[in-house]
Amino acid sequence: MGDIKPFSQRQLRRRRRAWLARNRRLLALVVPATLLLAAVLTLVMSLLADGEMRWYLIGLTHAGAVAAVLHLLNTAFLAHDREAVLHVRGAWGEDNTRSELAGAKRRRLIWSWVDSITLQSGDIDHLVVTRKAGLVAIDSKWRNSVNADDISSMTASARTSANRAAALAQTLLAADRSAKHRAKVRTISVTPVVVMWGTAQHEVPDAFERDGVAFVSGRRLNDHLRAMDGHPVDRRAARDLCRRLRRYRDQAWKTSKAREDARFSGGVTRS
């Protein structure tokens, strides 16, 4: 799937970078303190241990000191950034969905999929090209509990993602003037699916649907894909569409990254 990280991971990385930039004084204290601690521990290990065990303990001590400091910084970041935990959960959900999709591909339930397609008006978590059910636009959600408002919000978001996916697919296919390729994929449908992770996944009823959006427990995603039917996709057409989607995704990501890096650099300079 390339080196492009999911949306939540990208947001988490940017927010962490911004937090570190705002807390340069903290880093100016932590880094020298870590080096001093490593030096003291090295001296202690050199005096107390002999032979090969000495170098093993020194290496273990250095690794432990660095890990402890990184954990401390990450904990401080999560404690001070309200949205960071939400992005952490979002990243967990997207990672879990990708693992399930990899299993679906091995079981020949789908041809392939494309993650994190950035659009001007939003993004698509996962766009799946199935073998016999057209396209599936998946929103990954990590929730510990849900209520009626959450379901309504997720339903609206999933329908929007599916509409965006359909418009994108039509645009990419229309760019190809070859009638041979267009004829094979012009009837592909886009089905919206919300994949639930976290504690709330255990509360999702089987075959639960709201306004045309299927809600599926993460661990039952493959079962849901296996049961879908209606719009077979030709292998050649699937390869062609995935290639176009990845090309579009990569170009959109480069544009978005350049724009956000410029915004981030400007914000750091002004601070």
Side-chain angles (χ1 to χ4, degrees), residues 191-247:
T191 302
V193 173
V194 175
V195 177
M196 299 293 297
W197 295 99
T199 305
Q201 71 173 303
H202 305 296
E203 303 173 5
V204 180
D206 291 339
F208 180 77
E209 186 174 305
R210 175 68 60 85
D211 295 335
V213 178
F215 284 75
V216 182
S217 171
R219 297 307 178 189
R220 295 199 296 268
L221 176 57
N222 282 350
D223 294 335
H224 182 79
L225 292 172
R226 183 180 291 107
M228 295 181 69
D229 200 356
H231 293 84
V233 181
D234 176 81
R235 180 174 185 175
R236 182 179 298 178
R239 286 182 174 178
D240 180 66
L241 182 56
C242 286
R243 177 178 58 82
R244 293 171 184 274
L245 287 169
R246 291 192 182 100
R247 183 192 302 164

Side-chain angles (χ1 to χ4, degrees), residues 26-228:
L26 175 62
L27 289 178
L29 293 175
V30 169
V31 173
T34 302
L35 295 176
L36 178 60
L37 176 62
V40 171
L41 292 176
T42 299
L43 179 60
V44 172
M45 292 298 105
S46 298
L47 295 176
L48 297 181
D50 296 323
E52 296 181 358
M53 181 60 67
R54 171 192 300 172
W55 300 111
Y56 171 79
L57 291 176
I58 290 175
L60 184 63
T61 301
H62 288 176
V66 172
V69 171
L70 292 178
H71 176 70
L72 175 64
L73 289 175
N74 189 59
T75 301
F77 161 65
L78 294 177
H80 287 85
D81 192 306
R82 297 183 194 176
E83 297 185 18
V85 173
L86 298 179
H87 289 302
V88 168
R89 292 178 176 178
W92 288 346
E94 292 173 358
D95 286 344
N96 288 348
T97 297
R98 284 201 305 279
S99 295
E100 292 299 310
L101 290 175
K105 186 175 181 180
R106 288 194 302 270
R107 296 178 178 88
R108 301 176 64 82
L109 303 177
I110 65 175
W111 290 113
S112 190
W113 78 96
V114 181
D115 295 315
S116 304
I117 302 177
T118 301
L119 304 173
Q120 290 184 348
S121 54
D123 73 292
I124 303 170
D125 287 352
H126 321 272
L127 188 54
V128 183
V129 183
T130 71
R131 287 175 173 260
K132 57 180 183 178
L135 298 179
V136 177
I138 294 180
D139 274 358
S140 295
K141 302 294 184 183
W142 186 286
R143 295 289 189 276
N144 290 329
S145 63
V146 294
N147 54 38
D149 291 338
D150 291 330
I151 294 175
S152 296
S153 176
M154 289 187 286
T155 298
S157 176
R159 289 176 62 87
T160 299
S161 292
N163 291 335
R164 289 169 176 165
L168 175 60
Q170 290 298 326
T171 299
L172 295 178
L173 295 175
D176 182 9
R177 299 307 177 185
S178 168
K180 178 179 64 176
H181 286 164
R182 281 204 308 273
K184 293 181 179 178
V185 292
R186 64 184 178 186
T187 59
I188 286 182
S189 62
V190 180
T191 302
V193 173
V194 175
V195 177
M196 299 293 297
W197 295 99
T199 305
Q201 71 173 303
H202 305 296
E203 303 173 5
V204 180
D206 291 339
F208 180 77
E209 186 174 305
R210 175 68 60 85
D211 295 335
V213 178
F215 284 75
V216 182
S217 171
R219 297 307 178 189
R220 295 199 296 268
L221 176 57
N222 282 350
D223 294 335
H224 182 79
L225 292 172
R226 183 180 291 107
M228 295 181 69

